[in-house]
Amino acid sequence: AGGCPVSHRGTVPSFAPPAAPMRGRPRQAGANRATVLQQKETIGSQREAIRELTGKLSRCEGADGRSATGTWKKELGKGKDTMGDLPRDPAQVIDQLSRTMQTLKDRLESLEHQLRANVSYAALPSDLREMLQRRLGDLERQLLSKVAELEDEKSLLHNETSAHRQKTETALNALLERVSELEKGNSAFKSPDEFKVSLPLRTNYLYGKIKKTLPELYAFTVCLWLRSSASPGIGTPFSYAVPGQANEIVLIEWGNNPIELLINDKVAQLPLFISDGKWHHICITWTTRDGMWEAFQDGEKLGTGENLAPWHPIKPGGVLILGQEQDTVGGRFDATQAFVGEMSQFNIWDRVLKAEDIMNIANCSTNMPGNIIPWVDNNVDVFGGATKWPVETCEERLLDL
């Protein structure tokens, strides 16, 4: 009582068939009256069963969505609450609802067939059958609507899961790349900056390349250790080229000319002397304000000047090459301008360092990596036979002066 008449194992109200009409000659009047009364009683009980069924269907239909659903769950699940604890997998939920809907449809159709077989048309009017059919249709539409909602939820869940998986994979890949870089940087050398690049031959195919590029600069300081005995001229320790200007920044000693600093293809000669085969610490500063420049060798300022590309900002996004002079961005090297020797601790800052800081770097009393380009193993690639080797300690390089 109170539940919907659709339990999978529930019983359909039984309908006793009306007593068969009397055939042959009439019996006694008392017997006829008893038969009529029995038929009326049977029809009355059948009508009561139909009213009870109709009431239960109305209660199922009239309850709110959640209450009705809970009732169907309990009545349609073979004696247990099959829909009260839906599976977490949307596909299982949809399959379960489909089976529930089919069970409901089969039960009601069976009930209708039994009603047709057991109840005379006088006891089950056509409008009652139509009403039952309409309610069956309403129940079916509600179940189909729920199935559609679950399909939408399943699709959304799939999309969210895919997006989350892609995001996680991207983060893991970035982490793996970082770990690989750290392992690579620490695998060959005690510290990521304790290495040197060796360029033993004057060719157009040995060189190093800095992976990072420069931002727009209004001032800079470049410092490096180098050793060369090449003659004539040590060649090009480094060059920076940008689209439209291959000589944005170049340090070069070519032939019998003095060492030159080029900024935006403008030239200043530097009073540096470093082709004696010993380690030397070189620093160059420049600012766009009045094109002021300074040149330091082994911690001492040996020269200064101005009007070197004044008010010209260094352009960003170019290519920084060690050991070759670029005629186009990243290429067209000339073997006669190639650097021959070794270099290490190539650092770039986005400001003019104080003379005191440069002295402290040169005499090994401080270690100050460049804030724009630091000297680290995983930021330097070598090509064409150029090699990386463990470098002498700073103190050993000092003794070589």
Side-chain angles (χ1 to χ4, degrees):
C4 301
V6 286
S7 173
H8 191 69
R9 291 187 177 178
T11 59
V12 178
S14 62
F15 298 91
M22 300 297 291
R23 296 176 183 268
R25 288 188 297 176
R27 298 287 180 91
Q28 296 178 355
N32 291 336
R33 284 195 299 272
T35 301
V36 171
L37 290 175
Q38 184 180 3
Q39 289 179 344
K40 288 183 178 181
E41 183 179 350
T42 301
I43 290 172
S45 63
Q46 290 173 346
R47 287 179 173 172
E48 181 63 30
I50 291 169
R51 281 195 296 272
E52 181 181 356
L53 173 61
T54 303
K56 290 182 179 181
L57 286 175
S58 299
R59 285 194 296 276
C60 288
E61 207 174 25
D64 60 33
R66 187 169 298 178
S67 299
T69 301
T71 304
W72 300 339
K73 295 171 186 177
K74 295 179 180 179
E75 296 279 337
L76 294 173
K78 295 186 179 180
K80 63 179 182 179
D81 188 356
T82 58
M83 295 173 60
D85 186 13
L86 291 175
R88 297 180 65 87
D89 185 356
Q92 295 181 14
V93 175
I94 292 168
D95 182 62
Q96 181 173 304
L97 284 173
S98 298
R99 292 197 304 269
T100 301
M101 184 176 65
Q102 187 61 43
T103 300
L104 175 63
K105 186 174 180 179
D106 292 344
R107 298 292 295 171
L108 288 176
E109 286 180 352
S110 175
L111 176 60
E112 186 180 11
H113 291 159
Q114 291 186 42
L115 286 173
R116 286 177 178 174
N118 297 335
V119 183
S120 65
Y121 283 99
L124 184 61
S126 61
D127 58 348
L128 178 57
R129 292 197 302 273
E130 292 174 359
M131 180 186 65
L132 292 175
Q133 197 66 34
R134 285 197 305 270
R135 290 178 178 174
L136 172 61
D138 291 342
L139 292 174
E140 186 172 352
R141 284 191 294 273
Q142 291 179 34
L143 288 173
L144 288 174
S145 175
K146 185 62 178 179
V147 169
E149 291 178 6
L150 289 172
E151 285 284 8
D152 292 340
E153 291 178 4
K154 179 182 177 182
S155 178
L156 288 174
L157 179 63
H158 175 74
N159 293 339
E160 291 174 0
T161 302
S162 298
H164 179 72
R165 184 185 298 112
Q166 184 177 3
K167 184 178 179 181
T168 302
E169 288 177 353
T170 301
L172 287 175
N173 288 336
L175 181 60
L176 288 173
E177 289 177 3
R178 178 60 179 158
V179 170
S180 297
E181 289 178 0
L182 292 174
E183 289 175 346
K184 181 180 178 181
N186 292 327
S187 61
F189 312 109
K190 294 180 181 179
S191 177
D193 66 338
E194 292 184 3
F195 73 99
K196 61 184 177 182
V197 172
S198 176
L199 303 162
L201 301 174
R202 196 181 293 276
T203 73
N204 64 353
Y205 53 83
L206 272 74
Y207 67 99
K209 181 179 180 181
I210 305 296
K211 293 182 183 179
K212 294 183 65 176
T213 187
L214 299 181
E216 186 174 53
L217 296 174
Y218 297 90
F220 67 78
T221 299
V222 177
C223 293
L224 71 155
W225 284 88
L226 54 78
R227 178 167 66 180
S228 177
S229 58
S231 180
I234 64 170
T236 307
F238 73 90
S239 64
Y240 176 68
V242 298
Q245 181 52 270
N247 295 326
E248 188 71 1
I249 308 175
V250 181
L251 181 66
I252 184 171
E253 185 183 54
W254 188 22
N256 293 317
N257 299 312
I259 292 181
E260 296 177 335
L261 174 64
L262 282 71
I263 304 289
N264 192 33
D265 212 25
K266 308 301 187 292
V267 182
Q269 294 185 343
L270 309 182
L272 302 177
F273 307 93
I274 51 178
S275 59
D276 57 1
K278 297 181 178 182
W279 280 109
H280 292 283
H281 187 260
I282 304 300
C283 279
I284 300 162
T285 73
W286 174 86
T287 175
T288 187
R289 184 173 182 177
D290 295 327
M292 294 287 296
W293 61 268
E294 299 171 308
F296 294 79
Q297 180 173 325
D298 302 321
E300 297 182 12
K301 184 191 293 186
L302 298 185
T304 184
E306 59 183 15
N307 289 323
L308 177 58
W311 314 112
H312 169 77
I314 301 300
K315 296 176 183 177
V319 174
L320 193 54
I321 295 293
L322 303 178
Q324 296 284 354
E325 193 272 337
Q326 306 172 65
D327 285 340
T328 61
V329 177
R332 285 187 59 187
F333 306 142
D334 183 346
T336 63
Q337 298 173 330
F339 172 80
V340 180
E342 298 174 321
M343 67 177 71
S344 183
Q345 299 299 318
F346 178 84
N347 291 280
I348 302 180
W349 296 261
D350 60 356
R351 64 187 186 277
V352 174
L353 292 186
K354 297 178 181 179
E356 180 183 359
D357 292 332
I358 292 174
M359 175 61 76
N360 289 335
I361 295 172
N363 63 24
C364 305
S365 61
T366 186
N367 181 22
M368 188 185 299
N371 69 327
I372 297 299
I373 301 294
W375 182 253
V376 288
D377 180 25
N378 59 17
N379 192 39
V380 181
D381 287 333
V382 291
F383 301 91
T387 54
K388 294 180 184 179
W389 296 95
V391 68
E392 296 86 343
T393 66
C394 189
E395 290 73 18
E396 288 172 338
R397 295 194 295 269
L398 278 178
L399 293 175
D400 192 40
L401 294 178

